[in-house]
Amino acid sequence: MKEKSRKQGLNSQATGLLPLLLLMVLNALYPSRISFVFTLVICTGSLALFGALFRKNIFLFMLLPVTAALVLYSVFFYSSLEPALYNYTPLITEWLLVIVLSLLGTFRRLILRKIRKSGPPVRKQAHFRTALTEYFHVAQIVQNLYTLHFFALLFYIIFFEDNRITAVERFLYHQAPFVIGLLIIVYEQVRLYLMGKRLEQEKWLPVLSAGGKVIGRIASSVSLGSSARHLHPEVRVAVICRGMIYLTRRAADSPVSPGALDYPFQGYVLFRHTPEQTVRELVGRIMPWHLLNIRFLIRYLFQDGKIHSQVSLYATTLKSEDEFIKHAGSASGKLWTRKQIEENLGKGIFSSYFEKEYPYLQDTVLLAGEYTRPE
């Protein structure tokens, strides 16, 4: 658990600001020449750290613009501004970082387009792009807050030229850049912690290729709340009794055929689960598994404007309707005969799933039931 938390902390892009904040602290303790040596060490260490983390698939992109700002800062030692470095290091490094972030921000679309067209493995590319998107989010916050600090400083200089307050001036020139950076790191850690808690409760759906192979995963709230862009596995279980099908109403907020009649057991297969495991979980909530003889029937593709699924259809046969109601605890549905179903097909009474599956059921399990039903 500690290792997991440490890795999550390193994935926080805001921690890339630490070398810059360290320089601000060192500059308050040592002369500018010594701070320059520390700057070189920090730059070298930052690049080495970035490379080490990159090889472990931890993409701490914020280290790059921070290192660039520190390199640019070291150039000031060869200019006539060197005497001002001791008093204004926090401001100079802050402004240099804003300049670097602004330049990178102008190439954001180009960078993301380049990554999309690159050819790493799908999962690694997704992780890389997620970290890059997170970096641009944090970079925008850093740029905005430091720019706001710059304008606050200008406002103070212009409007309080004759009434300078030493404590306020010391804070704006020396302490504010450090405090802003520290607050950004704390904010990002809290945000990632809350996000992690929310993701722990999230249900993840596997993303399938056209051939039915798992190629990734996505949060169900994201995928099911948008258009049918991803193919997900789904299971459905037909409950049959004496040649009739037990049907109940779908949820009113269902994305497909809300309120229409359908099987009592249906659901998505979660990531790293199998269709058989999902069937056991769905049916096991209501019926004892050992009382059922569930058979796999067919696998097909279902698609409409909101859903794109690879449906695995199963069937189970009960001896009586009372047997199901006894365990379900209520009679929310009823058995439908073949004649009743056929008279109401195409009228919007049944779900789109069921209307697509019924011809197959009619020619297989229902037909077999006609020959095996006792006199």
Side-chain angles (χ1 to χ4, degrees):
M1 183 63 70
K2 290 182 179 179
E3 182 64 28
K4 182 179 178 182
S5 300
R6 190 182 304 119
K7 190 171 182 179
Q8 286 176 343
L10 290 174
N11 274 323
S12 169
Q13 294 296 323
T15 56
L17 294 172
L18 288 175
L20 185 69
L21 302 186
L22 179 60
L23 175 63
M24 293 178 183
V25 172
L26 292 175
N27 189 81
L29 301 175
Y30 301 101
S32 57
R33 283 289 178 182
I34 297 178
S35 297
F36 173 65
V37 176
F38 280 124
T39 300
L40 294 180
V41 173
I42 291 170
C43 290
T44 304
S46 297
L47 292 175
L49 179 61
F50 179 83
L53 295 177
F54 194 92
R55 287 190 291 272
K56 295 182 179 181
N57 290 334
I58 301 175
F59 308 111
L60 200 54
F61 293 111
M62 184 57 74
L63 278 175
L64 295 180
V66 167
T67 302
L70 293 177
V71 171
L72 292 174
Y73 167 78
S74 65
V75 175
F76 281 83
F77 283 93
Y78 299 96
S79 68
S80 59
L81 295 176
E82 181 186 349
L85 293 180
Y86 181 76
N87 291 325
Y88 300 106
T89 290
L91 289 179
I92 294 172
T93 52
E94 173 190 70
W95 296 342
L96 288 173
L97 179 60
V98 169
I99 292 172
V100 174
L101 292 177
S102 299
L103 290 175
L104 290 175
T106 58
F107 296 102
R108 174 176 179 171
R109 291 186 179 180
L110 179 63
I111 294 172
L112 292 176
R113 192 183 307 120
K114 194 78 173 178
I115 296 300
R116 280 196 295 268
K117 293 181 180 179
S118 62
V122 176
R123 290 183 184 178
K124 183 177 178 181
Q125 185 185 39
H127 183 53
F128 186 89
R129 288 175 58 186
T130 300
L132 193 60
T133 302
E134 180 68 13
Y135 155 74
F136 280 118
H137 171 75
V138 175
Q140 191 64 55
I141 295 175
V142 173
Q143 182 181 335
N144 291 343
L145 289 181
Y146 277 142
T147 302
L148 185 63
H149 170 244
F150 173 70
F151 283 111
L153 182 60
L154 286 179
F155 179 85
Y156 175 79
I157 293 173
I158 295 172
F159 292 97
F160 293 88
E161 184 177 0
D162 300 325
N163 298 300
R164 299 291 177 86
I165 303 174
T166 304
V168 174
E169 194 166 322
R170 185 186 305 113
F171 176 79
L172 289 175
Y173 278 97
H174 299 280
Q175 300 167 3
F178 177 82
V179 171
I180 291 172
L182 193 62
L183 288 177
I184 292 172
I185 293 175
V186 172
Y187 159 78
E188 187 65 9
Q189 290 291 346
V190 172
R191 187 178 73 89
L192 290 179
Y193 174 78
L194 295 177
M195 186 183 299
K197 285 293 184 181
R198 189 165 63 248
L199 290 178
E200 286 178 3
Q201 301 173 353
E202 182 65 81
K203 294 182 179 179
W204 295 89
L205 299 178
V207 178
L208 305 181
S209 65
K213 183 179 179 181
V214 177
I215 59 174
R217 67 174 182 172
I218 188 172
S220 61
S221 60
V222 175
S223 182
L224 301 183
S226 59
S227 58
R229 293 179 297 174
H230 303 289
L231 177 63
H232 301 303
E234 190 174 0
V235 296
R236 294 167 48 77
V237 183
V239 178
I240 299 171
C241 179
R242 302 193 310 275
M244 296 180 286
I245 303 177
Y246 190 91
L247 299 176
T248 186
R249 292 202 175 277
R250 293 174 65 87
D253 59 351
S254 175
V256 178
S257 305
L261 294 174
D262 206 347
Y263 311 136
F265 304 117
Q266 54 193 299
Y268 283 97
V269 180
L270 299 181
F271 184 67
R272 290 180 178 168
H273 286 214
T274 65
E276 291 73 19
Q277 286 177 312
T278 305
V279 170
R280 279 179 173 268
E281 291 173 1
L282 288 173
V283 177
R285 296 170 187 170
I286 296 180
M287 297 288 292
W289 181 259
H290 67 277
L291 296 179
L292 302 173
N293 178 25
I294 297 181
R295 307 180 304 279
F296 171 74
L297 298 181
I298 191 175
R299 184 168 289 128
Y300 69 93
L301 293 179
F302 177 87
Q303 186 172 16
D304 67 1
K306 297 181 179 179
I307 296 296
H308 188 196
S309 300
Q310 182 192 73
V311 180
S312 297
L313 178 62
Y314 294 78
T316 183
T317 302
L318 300 179
K319 296 179 181 179
S320 67
E321 181 180 8
D322 293 337
E323 181 182 357
F324 179 81
I325 296 175
K326 173 185 175 182
H327 294 282
S330 64
S332 58
K334 71 169 189 174
L335 291 170
W336 285 68
T337 65
R338 293 175 62 177
K339 181 179 179 181
Q340 289 173 322
I341 292 172
E342 290 164 6
E343 288 177 349
N344 290 281
L345 287 174
K347 297 181 179 179
I349 295 177
F350 307 110
S351 73
S352 302
Y353 289 99
F354 180 78
E355 297 220 351
K356 186 171 184 177
E357 295 163 354
Y358 181 72
Y360 179 81
L361 294 175
Q362 188 178 27
D363 295 335
T364 53
V365 290
L366 294 181
L367 183 62
E370 290 292 329
Y371 291 100
T372 58
R373 191 186 307 171
E375 297 294 337

